[in-house]
Amino acid sequence: IPVFILAGLLVHCVFLVSIFDIYFSSPLVHGMTPQQTPLPPPAKRLVLFVADGLRADSLYELNSNNTPQAPYLRGILENNGSWGISHTRVPTESRPGHVALIAGFYEDVSAVAKGWKENPVEFDSVFNESKYTWSWGSPDILPMFAKGATGDHVYTFCYAAESEDFGAQDAAKLDMWVFDRVKSFFNSSRSNQTLFSALNEEKVVLFLHLLGIDTNGHAHRPNSREYKENIKKVDEGVKEIASMIDNFYGNDGKTAFILTSDHGMTDWGSHGAGHPSETLTPLIVWGAGVNYPQKVTSQFFEDNFLKEWKLENFKRLDVNQADIAPLMASLIGVPFPLNSVGTLPLEYLNNSAHFKAESMFTNAVQILEQFKVKMSQKKETTLSFLFTPFKPLSDSEQINFLKKTRLYIQQQKFDEAVSLCKTLINLALEGLSYYHTYDRLFLGLSIAMGFVGWTTYVILVIIKTHTNLTKTVQTNNKESTVLFYSFAFVGMIIAFFLLIQTCPWTYYVYCLLPVPVWYAVVRELPVIQDLATNLMSPHIGQSIGFLLVCTLGIEILVFSFFYRSTLTIGLLVFAGWPVITQLWVQAKTTALIWTLLCVLLAIFPLMPVVGREPNIPLVIATGLLTFLISCFSLSSLCKSENKYRSNEDLKVRFYQMLSIALSTYVVSSTHDSLKNKQGLPVLNQIISWMTLVSSSVLPLLSPTFLFQRLFSILLSLMSTYLLLSTGYEALFPLVLSGLMFVWINMEQEALQHYGLSFKPKLAVFNFAYATDITQFRQLHLDDVRRSFFFVFFIVTAFFGTGNIASINSFDPASVYCFLTVFSPFMMGGLLVLKVVIPFVLVSCAFEAVQVTTQLSSKSLFLIVLVISDIMALHFFFLVKDYGSWLDIGTSISHYVLVMSLTIFMMLMNGLAQLLTAKRLELPRRTKHHST
């Protein structure tokens, strides 16, 4: 079996890594030549303000008394410049947003693994192409553009990372810091000759990154007074900086200004997903080379924003976020960033038609360059007779397009030239995507073959070793030798083909993996024949029925990943399980409680995702409820006979009750304190961390009797979970564990119902002695249902209170009891802990079910493996690499989740065994008399 486990881990790791290779390799190519517009640019310098986390509606809408939120910027928009909405792509995080703004491409998924920090791939940016860039702001953003730049002409000035505190007095001081530094920088340049002359050069960029709005939005929500005040402060700051810069250069009219945002924010203060409030950001451009406001009588947009904002008469020019990079490049006359996929928004430019046509032509050639590099890369690694080029942009077509456009420009037919360039840009982008996904079908089929083979093999192993459906069959040596050589031959042919085409080594792994897997399956052919005869004879109807039920169950699980409410349907079916199988006849009370708890738990997946509306009173009520339940159990423990308890056990139980009470207090006082802007009290923080540490140790001190130990685990985990809760989810582990307790009892009844075993007395059942039971029994069809229940409960534990998107755009409020200073890894870790707690409860209950029904964990584990692999195959084909980033991220997470389900269950199984069976003995001072 160790060989089997190793093979399984290897196969799963290959399956897991494969999607990143097949769907998410980096689309960036290198080796293009820079393209620059030959005509002189309108501006010498550009000032870019990025107000992090600023929503379009927050900036443009009017206050209740019809005054603008940002008077200065509103004035610019109505009198001096052009405006619109910049549509960002998901993930709406700071790093991808800035990369789109400044480098002109949407960060590829391969950056996910790098946590959006530093440069996962080298890329070119407007800053890199400029003569000098000075930037001020957050240490999370600025360094990545300086690091990627060639030479040292990109200068950064950052504040300390500790300043980004969500619980702080006022985050607007981050923006004040930036404005003050810029002012003192310009003042100091008057006495510094080298700096003064550098500032007076052409192609200069000044970048002000303003993080205050984002921090205030996280801490207080975008509809708060703090967020709106911060917008006013930014408006005043922009006004001061703009007038100071104009004065510094003697109003020479050669400065262009751009104000925009990297992403928006939801009403509940998160970003990362694809809600319009996160993807719609403002864009206001004014100064040198920029169009004045264009008055219009009517304009059509699908949204009703123009009316709300009272801007119906000013032409709204919408762009995609990546279009801002070519706009900046065109304004100051630097080469377009090499990897940019943006299209120059001509309506923003106040320039000759000739300049516009030339700029557009440069843009088209720059994107076509990327296409050419991509095509030549693909051509080199494919056999000539297997290579199918992208038809609409064959070499002759390309030359044709470029010649036509040049001719139009010479004949001064500028509009025709521009529209031809736009067609060329769209074709080149399509072609880039075509070559990027060139090998996808072939690799996908290889992996699918491996999946199906592996799952078949696991099913055969289960049937051969854990059931008595098949007789042992002798193998024929001669046949197996022939088999081995024929499979080896197939493998060599595949390897030879890959070798000729100089494919990357990962391709060998994906294409050769199905060979040994299917060899293992075909070797078990006698078992398959034996099984077929066994199933065909008397029970053909039963077998088909069983298969249909299994398929339906797995499909319900797959659906629940997309629609949480599917879990409700599943749980309601579970509620009727005792009735369907006639179990309720022999255990009426247990069955009734089971049905009630299933219905209660079924409510959770119908609730909105966690974290939208904090409901602290509910968390406190849950804490009190848990405390009452533990009091009740403590009194029953005291009344119980002496031989099952000692005073130490009562002490441990008492400590746990104390920590529940403390957690409840900490939650209420911390949230009050933050509400009054007093920050996080140190005492509360100490208690929180101590509770977290003790919750992993306390259960190990409690007795190992079945229900006592499980209840102890629940209390410890519950005290930590309360600290991490902000709403109704606090009730979830309580209801879930209640159902788990009843499940253990129900499985006992099921065992008796099928006449499989005697009924051990659960109250005195001891985990410590359970592990050395050797009389494991063979598998029964009912055990497949047991495993399915387990997988279903694990999925419910995950999706009961939220979904993947809600974790992606998590609400920092849930970790405020532990820390308020921004620290992504610490916050992420605590959030993962919150997600894992319900898993641990389910795993411990399943451990109890395994032990009390005398099943080897190995055989159940194999059934779980089959279920999760069949689900994973579904998700492999549902992985997306297009659409909003939320869809992409969710589809990856689904696949990764199910793939790691088995590995995760191994870990959980180990953890559950440790939590249930291990006992730490405290040093005893008194003589111990319980026998």
Side-chain angles (χ1 to χ4, degrees):
I1 279 292
V3 178
F4 177 77
I5 289 178
L6 279 177
L9 275 173
L10 187 72
V11 168
H12 278 89
C13 288
V14 171
F15 289 160
L16 192 56
V17 174
S18 69
I19 62 158
F20 291 100
D21 237 6
I22 295 173
Y23 290 97
F24 303 116
S25 45
S26 166
L28 295 191
V29 284
H30 299 289
M32 290 78 65
T33 45
Q35 302 296 322
Q36 191 171 350
T37 313
L39 302 175
K44 272 185 168 181
R45 63 201 79 87
L46 174 99
V47 185
L48 172 65
F49 301 96
V50 177
D52 205 304
L54 174 60
R55 290 161 51 148
D57 55 351
S58 300
L59 180 69
Y60 293 138
E61 70 190 1
L62 299 171
N63 288 329
S64 46
N65 53 4
N66 267 352
T67 55
Q69 290 279 9
Y72 174 72
L73 288 168
R74 180 76 174 208
I76 291 282
L77 177 161
E78 291 177 357
N79 309 314
N80 314 40
S82 295
W83 75 285
I85 287 179
S86 152
H87 297 262
T88 75
R89 282 222 199 146
V90 196
T92 43
E93 302 289 353
S94 295
R95 179 196 159 104
H98 281 91
V99 170
L101 286 171
I102 296 161
F105 68 92
Y106 300 105
E107 187 136 44
D108 59 292
V109 191
S110 59
V112 173
K114 311 282 192 303
W116 312 119
K117 287 272 193 290
E118 289 306 340
N119 301 26
V121 281
E122 289 301 312
F123 60 84
D124 185 26
S125 68
V126 174
F127 294 174
N128 189 30
E129 298 290 357
S130 70
K131 181 102 185 232
Y132 293 106
T133 295
W134 285 275
S135 53
W136 294 266
S138 154
D140 298 337
I141 297 300
L142 304 186
M144 71 179 182
F145 293 104
K147 190 182 171 224
T150 47
D152 57 343
H153 58 275
V154 178
Y155 302 98
T156 59
F157 305 94
C158 312
Y159 38 76
E162 290 73 56
S163 312
E164 301 169 34
D165 185 347
F166 294 128
Q169 301 288 323
D170 185 15
K173 62 175 189 279
L174 298 177
D175 298 343
M176 298 294 102
W177 184 96
V178 170
F179 293 135
D180 294 342
R181 286 302 154 108
V182 176
K183 288 175 201 161
S184 61
F185 172 79
F186 271 92
N187 287 337
S188 70
S189 72
R190 295 186 193 277
S191 55
N192 179 340
Q193 195 48 52
T194 37
L195 180 57
F196 187 79
S197 56
L199 278 169
N200 278 293
E201 292 275 0
E202 293 185 351
K203 302 179 185 177
V204 166
V205 179
L206 303 165
F207 170 43
L208 285 70
H209 176 240
L210 310 166
L211 187 66
I213 295 179
D214 181 67
T215 313
N216 264 324
H218 282 308
H220 306 287
R221 314 276 179 271
N223 293 321
S224 63
R225 189 178 52 83
E226 288 84 354
Y227 187 84
K228 290 178 173 161
E229 286 292 314
N230 203 158
I231 294 177
K232 278 211 164 50
K233 286 183 183 167
V234 165
D235 182 62
E236 286 155 17
V238 169
K239 178 181 179 179
E240 287 171 18
I241 297 292
S243 72
M244 180 202 70
I245 287 177
D246 283 339
N247 291 339
F248 181 86
Y249 290 108
N251 294 335
D252 64 351
K254 287 284 183 190
T255 314
F257 296 92
I258 294 183
L259 177 126
T260 184
S261 163
D262 53 352
H263 55 75
M265 190 172 279
T266 55
D267 288 340
W268 50 94
S270 72
H271 55 83
H275 191 268
S277 61
E278 297 164 87
T279 58
L280 302 182
T281 59
L283 172 64
I284 300 180
V285 190
W286 71 100
V290 182
N291 247 337
Y292 287 108
Q294 299 167 51
K295 292 282 174 69
V296 284
T297 45
S298 69
Q299 47 183 336
F300 176 71
F301 283 94
E302 282 177 2
D303 50 47
N304 292 327
F305 290 142
L306 290 166
K307 213 182 192 113
E308 286 170 32
W309 301 337
K310 301 209 167 48
L311 286 170
E312 305 98 301
N313 301 334
F314 296 96
K315 191 164 187 192
R316 166 178 152 189
L317 310 168
D318 280 19
V319 300
N320 290 324
Q321 198 173 29
D323 301 343
I324 297 175
L327 176 65
M328 297 196 285
S330 162
L331 285 171
I332 53 171
V334 297
F336 288 41
L338 292 176
N339 299 107
S340 162
V341 293
T343 311
L344 180 65
L346 291 178
E347 292 177 290
Y348 276 88
L349 296 181
N350 175 18
N351 218 315
S352 65
H354 183 202
F355 180 86
K356 288 181 183 177
E358 281 288 2
S359 299
M360 210 61 201
F361 183 65
T362 308
N363 194 353
V365 172
Q366 169 256 328
I367 292 177
L368 187 64
E369 276 285 310
Q370 293 179 66
F371 168 79
K372 283 175 169 168
V373 172
K374 197 90 180 168
M375 182 171 98
S376 64
Q377 281 179 5
K378 204 78 257 155
K379 215 171 185 169
E380 282 164 19
T381 59
T382 314
L383 293 176
S384 51
F385 66 90
L386 289 176
F387 181 72
T388 42
F390 180 65
K391 296 279 188 307
L393 269 187
S394 56
D395 293 347
S396 55
E397 282 291 316
Q398 291 177 32
I399 294 166
N400 192 7
F401 263 114
L402 297 176
K403 271 187 177 163
K404 249 186 177 165
T405 315
R406 266 273 149 251
L407 192 67
Y408 278 147
I409 291 177
Q410 279 162 7
Q411 294 170 347
Q412 301 196 347
K413 294 182 182 168
F414 298 125
D415 291 349
E416 288 92 331
V418 166
S419 73
L420 205 58
C421 287
K422 284 183 175 165
T423 316
L424 181 57
I425 287 175
N426 290 335
L427 282 175
L429 290 175
E430 258 174 61
L432 269 172
S433 157
Y434 169 83
Y435 284 120
H436 187 57
T437 58
Y438 192 80
D439 295 329
R440 185 169 295 177
L441 183 69
F442 147 73
L443 290 176
L445 287 173
S446 284
I447 292 288
M449 288 275 293
F451 251 120
V452 176
W454 167 255
T455 311
T456 316
Y457 179 62
V458 178
I459 294 174
L460 288 174
V461 169
I462 294 174
I463 287 167
K464 217 171 89 171
T465 53
H466 294 281
T467 64
N468 29 26
L469 283 176
T470 56
K471 303 181 288 296
T472 45
V473 193
Q474 291 302 313
T475 49
N476 182 331
N477 275 346
K478 193 174 171 204
E479 276 180 20
S480 58
T481 319
V482 172
L483 246 180
F484 178 77
Y485 282 115
S486 52
F487 270 94
F489 180 65
V490 171
M492 283 164 75
I493 290 178
I494 294 175
F496 177 68
F497 251 91
L498 294 172
L499 192 67
I500 305 176
Q501 305 192 41
T502 58
C503 290
W505 64 272
T506 45
Y507 283 30
Y508 289 86
V509 180
Y510 304 145
C511 298
L512 291 173
L513 184 71
V515 179
V517 172
W518 278 100
Y519 169 63
V521 172
V522 176
R523 262 179 61 191
E524 304 291 347
L525 211 61
V527 180
I528 301 174
Q529 289 162 341
D530 200 19
L531 184 69
T533 48
N534 250 351
L535 293 180
M536 281 306 173
S537 42
H539 326 284
I540 180 81
Q542 232 180 336
S543 309
I544 291 179
F546 176 68
L547 275 174
L548 280 175
V549 171
C550 283
T551 320
L552 185 71
I554 289 175
E555 292 307 315
I556 281 189
L557 279 178
V558 170
F559 253 82
S560 69
F561 276 71
F562 298 99
Y563 308 102
R564 286 168 54 214
S565 46
T566 323
L567 290 173
T568 303
I569 300 168
L571 284 165
L572 293 176
V573 173
F574 280 12
W577 167 58
V579 182
I580 301 165
T581 55
Q582 296 291 307
L583 267 178
W584 67 281
V585 180
Q586 66 190 58
K588 290 198 172 58
T589 346
T590 320
L592 185 69
I593 299 174
W594 164 268
T595 308
L596 274 174
L597 282 170
C598 277
V599 173
L600 254 183
L601 193 64
I603 299 170
F604 283 94
L606 296 174
M607 304 281 272
V609 170
V610 161
R612 300 283 158 105
E613 289 305 319
N615 186 347
I616 303 301
L618 191 60
V619 180
I620 296 167
T622 309
L624 295 175
L625 178 67
T626 317
F627 187 71
L628 281 176
I629 295 173
S630 57
C631 287
F632 179 70
S633 90
L634 186 69
S635 64
S636 67
L637 191 68
C638 291
K639 283 177 196 158
S640 70
E641 298 158 41
N642 196 22
K643 76 172 178 195
Y644 292 143
R645 66 181 176 84
S646 66
N647 290 338
E648 258 75 9
D649 300 346
L650 292 178
K651 268 187 210 162
V652 170
R653 181 58 57 87
F654 184 72
Y655 283 134
Q656 289 181 314
M657 288 168 60
L658 183 70
S659 83
I660 291 273
L662 272 176
S663 296
T664 312
Y665 161 74
V666 167
V667 168
S668 83
S669 79
T670 301
H671 284 273
D672 282 347
S673 163
L674 288 174
K675 217 174 192 165
N676 303 333
K677 297 227 181 119
Q678 286 158 353
L680 168 64
V682 182
L683 180 68
N684 288 11
Q685 198 170 4
I686 296 169
I687 295 177
S688 297
W689 285 103
M690 280 174 67
T691 306
L692 178 65
V693 175
S694 67
S695 68
S696 52
V697 184
L698 279 176
L700 297 177
L701 297 171
S702 67
T704 50
F705 294 112
L706 186 94
F707 285 117
Q708 287 191 32
R709 175 52 73 98
L710 287 179
F711 192 65
S712 171
I713 292 170
L714 166 68
L715 285 185
S716 283
L717 293 177
M718 200 60 203
S719 55
T720 309
Y721 200 84
L722 282 171
L723 292 171
L724 291 166
S725 298
T726 56
Y728 73 88
E729 83 268 27
L731 278 165
F732 182 69
L734 264 190
V735 180
L736 184 68
S737 52
L739 186 62
M740 292 298 105
F741 284 135
V742 184
W743 182 36
I744 297 169
N745 282 312
M746 286 298 285
E747 288 299 356
Q748 284 307 306
E749 303 296 341
L751 265 190
Q752 276 195 306
H753 184 74
Y754 288 108
L756 288 176
S757 146
F758 65 97
K759 183 174 176 182
K761 200 170 165 211
L762 284 182
V764 288
F765 191 89
N766 196 330
F767 277 121
Y769 307 123
T771 40
D772 46 69
I773 298 177
T774 41
Q775 70 264 37
F776 287 132
R777 55 185 179 78
Q778 289 284 25
L779 282 175
H780 180 263
L781 267 189
D782 200 39
D783 296 324
V784 177
R785 176 198 57 75
R786 252 176 218 120
S787 306
F788 177 75
F789 268 33
F790 176 49
V791 177
F792 191 90
F793 285 136
I794 281 279
V795 173
T796 308
F798 190 85
F799 289 110
T801 57
N803 53 19
I804 291 172
S806 72
I807 289 175
N808 168 24
S809 54
F810 78 96
D811 176 13
S814 54
V815 298
Y816 283 168
C817 289
F818 291 92
L819 75 168
T820 55
V821 176
F822 182 65
S823 152
F825 289 106
M826 203 63 132
M827 288 182 167
L830 287 167
L831 212 81
V832 169
L833 178 73
K834 182 177 175 179
V835 174
V836 166
I837 286 175
F839 283 145
V840 178
L841 293 172
V842 175
S843 299
C844 289
F846 189 57
E847 177 67 21
V849 168
Q850 267 180 33
V851 178
T852 53
T853 55
Q854 297 168 348
L855 264 182
S856 70
S857 51
K858 197 168 65 198
S859 49
L860 279 181
F861 179 71
L862 287 176
I863 302 177
V864 171
L865 184 68
V866 172
I867 295 175
S868 64
D869 276 348
I870 296 172
M871 285 166 68
L873 188 59
H874 279 79
F875 290 122
F876 179 78
F877 287 107
L878 292 171
V879 170
K880 285 184 173 170
D881 67 329
Y882 58 88
S884 88
W885 254 79
L886 177 66
D887 304 346
I888 295 176
T890 307
S891 71
I892 302 178
S893 322
H894 285 167
Y895 180 69
V896 172
L897 251 177
V898 178
M899 280 306 292
S900 46
L901 196 61
T902 32
I903 302 170
F904 180 67
M905 280 179 190
M906 277 184 178
L907 290 173
M908 280 293 156
N909 206 348
L911 183 65
Q913 272 175 5
L914 174 84
L915 278 176
T916 51
K918 288 281 173 284
R919 173 115 200 233
L920 296 174
E921 290 290 343
L922 286 173
R924 305 262 163 108
R925 277 167 309 192
T926 52
K927 200 168 75 187
H928 194 51
H929 57 256
S930 72
T931 47

